[in-house]
Amino acid sequence: MSISLDAPNDHRVAELRDIQISGLPGIGCYTLVLNLHFTATHPKAEVLIRNISIRLDWGDNYQRMIASATPDNSPPVRITQYSTDIQICFRLPLSPSQVEAIESRRNGGDLKLSIWFVAESAQDGASRSITGSHEFAVRQQVWIEALERMEYRRTLLFELPVPCEDSPIGELVRKAQLFLYKGEYEQTIGLCRQAIEKVESVLNDKAAATQAVERYRQDRKNMDATQRMLFLREALKNATHLAVHHSEDHDGYSRDQAKAILGTTISLLSLFSPLDEGAK
């Protein structure tokens, strides 16, 4: 099945020739740009193409929806006897998790996408609906260039398991996230420290962490991986110090600092697991 633009009298006035992919940076999202190129067939009377929308799916018959959009330019597309190349441009906002899911499926190679096209044509007072679909391949280099234009590599998205809210540690993390959203960064970091201290209590490894710090001072080259992770946890706890032991010189933590400490805390909580079973 392909995409063609037909007049109400069934006369074909344009046919899809090419789809070009690009990207634009967004605020909190990425923008995929699709430019559909149609070749016009010079109708005798003007045809309006209106109420246009598309749905973009993953190809290879998966039919998993990625995004939908309407054209950038809201006026109807006018096709006359003088029309040659018809371009319809769409901007599809994608969340970071959507792009990451696409990248996971693409797995470093090319990809196939399906586009579903819906519109209405009008001519001399008559109208008809238009539907069509088209599957097309996107070469690896083309997709990478689109990602670059989206500024995709300026952030790194990866998943971290958050402790169950039913556990004391999970409750501390949930509250820390809530205070971050409220802009109360000292509270966020103070709760991160409580979560770290709770981990020490659950795993009963405070003495081992102290020994790791001492080993770092005296013989850091011979520290094993476990000792280095314990030392990292101690360094993180030290980073939270001013949230619970205030100093006159302390101006407060910034949002970026609170986000970094919360993210690192959750990351280390996932390392020093299982937590939910023991944190009762």
Side-chain angles (χ1 to χ4, degrees), residues 231-252:
F231 177 79
L232 178 61
R233 195 182 72 190
E234 285 297 295
L236 175 62
K237 186 166 70 171
N238 182 60
T240 69
H241 180 82
L242 294 176
V244 291
H245 300 287
H246 298 287
S247 167
E248 293 182 0
D249 299 329
H250 178 50
D251 295 328

Side-chain angles (χ1 to χ4, degrees), residues 16-136:
L16 181 66
R17 184 180 75 250
D18 187 30
I19 298 178
Q20 293 181 337
I21 281 188
S22 186
L24 290 171
I27 298 178
C29 70
Y30 305 103
T31 304
L32 179 64
V33 179
L34 294 184
N35 200 353
L36 277 59
H37 291 258
F38 292 84
T39 300
T41 59
H42 313 294
K44 294 181 180 179
E46 181 182 73
V47 177
L48 299 182
I49 309 297
R50 59 196 183 192
N51 300 327
I52 303 170
S53 65
I54 62 167
R55 189 186 80 211
L56 184 67
D57 289 359
W58 187 260
D60 288 332
N61 296 318
Y62 277 89
Q63 293 187 2
R64 289 181 178 264
M65 179 177 169
I66 296 174
S68 60
T70 56
D72 268 359
N73 47 339
S74 54
V77 176
R78 298 179 179 272
I79 304 177
T80 71
Q81 59 181 324
Y82 304 107
S83 300
T84 54
D85 181 61
I86 309 297
Q87 296 186 37
I88 309 177
C89 186
F90 300 86
R91 298 190 186 193
L92 296 87
L94 302 176
S95 69
S97 58
Q98 282 179 293
V99 178
E100 189 66 21
I102 293 171
E103 284 299 274
S104 177
R105 283 182 172 272
R106 185 175 71 87
N107 196 27
D110 300 338
L111 69 157
K112 283 187 177 181
L113 299 173
S114 290
I115 187 170
W116 297 80
F117 185 93
V118 178
E120 180 186 39
S121 67
Q123 183 185 50
D124 295 333
S127 64
R128 64 163 291 175
S129 61
I130 299 172
T131 59
S133 65
H134 178 69
E135 184 176 278
F136 60 103

Side-chain angles (χ1 to χ4, degrees), residues 198-219:
K198 188 66 178 177
V199 168
E200 291 177 338
S201 175
V202 170
L203 300 181
N204 194 25
D205 63 355
K206 184 176 178 62
T210 302
Q211 292 171 6
V213 173
E214 190 62 28
R215 185 71 179 270
Y216 176 82
R217 291 172 179 160
Q218 297 181 1
D219 188 21

